[in-house]
Amino acid sequence: MKFQLVFAVLLASFFKISTLEVSAQENQKKIPIQLAAISDLDIGDPISFSPGMMLDVGLRIMNKPKINGSRIREREFYLKPFLGFYKREDYHTAVMLGTDLTYRATYPSGIFWDANVGAGYMQLFYNTPVYVYENGTFTKKKFQGYANVVIKGAINLGYDLSKSNEKIPLGIYVGGGMFFRYPNNHSFVKHPYLQLGVMYTIRKDKK
């Protein structure tokens, strides 16, 4: 009987702690800021890597934590405005601006994975001189670049240190994805890419 009573008290305590943690999460704003080094891949012969950077800011729009005893798995949806670029040597430099929709699952250990889909605007600039044939001769022109629509998706795996200690609001992640730009000779061009990044999470109590 004593064992059953102790077990019931412990179970009630775990449930109470979990409820308080979930309530605290719901009453908190969570804003992850991510900065990644990216590499745009040109899968040819040989394979080439074009360096770049990507910055995004997460705006949480939904949080559905899953409780398993005293352990809580966060399930969140974010809107993530992004700004990035990459440079292909002797070809072009591209600047991207848009928004991702992200689903993220974070486990009690701090390990997380997320899936992203998004769209935006891309501006391309040639890195080499542009010559135009005019009046029987080639003339060097200052070319300002051209606009593309970009559609993208990615999957990432990472570790959030703030799950074990909120005083360390940092995380790391690796991932890969694909983006498509249009138009290029009236067709889509695919760009696989890899990324390695760091995350800084701002937590604020809702007013």
Side-chain angles (χ1 to χ4, degrees), residues 64-178:
K64 294 290 183 181
K66 184 176 182 181
I67 304 172
N68 182 13
S70 62
R71 299 167 69 82
I72 301 172
R73 176 160 62 95
E74 295 181 66
R75 298 179 296 178
E76 304 163 304
F77 283 92
Y78 290 89
L79 283 178
K80 292 167 54 178
F82 66 82
L83 174 65
F85 79 93
Y86 69 87
K87 181 179 180 180
R88 285 196 172 183
E89 198 68 33
D90 299 325
Y91 187 16
H92 68 255
T93 297
V95 179
M96 296 176 281
L97 176 67
T99 301
D100 283 340
L101 175 63
T102 298
Y103 171 77
R104 174 173 293 165
T106 306
Y107 296 88
S109 63
I111 293 173
F112 70 85
W113 66 271
D114 61 41
N116 311 265
V117 293
Y121 171 83
M122 176 185 284
Q123 183 73 21
L124 270 72
F125 305 91
Y126 285 122
N127 299 330
T128 55
V130 175
Y131 293 87
V132 177
Y133 188 74
E134 293 178 333
N135 301 321
T137 184
F138 286 97
T139 304
K140 185 177 179 180
K141 294 288 185 179
K142 185 178 180 181
F143 188 65
Q144 298 297 326
Y146 58 93
N148 277 183
V149 173
V150 61
I151 300 171
K152 62 190 285 287
I155 295 177
N156 301 305
L157 178 66
Y159 182 70
D160 184 356
L161 281 74
S162 69
K163 286 292 288 183
S164 57
N165 187 346
E166 288 193 6
K167 293 182 179 180
I168 308 176
L170 301 175
I172 56 173
Y173 63 95
V174 295
M178 183 87 70

Side-chain angles (χ1 to χ4, degrees), residues 37-58:
I38 67 171
S39 182
D40 176 53
L41 304 179
D42 184 7
I43 304 177
D45 186 18
I47 296 175
S48 63
F49 301 86
S50 301
M53 300 289 289
M54 188 75 73
L55 172 68
D56 62 62
V57 179

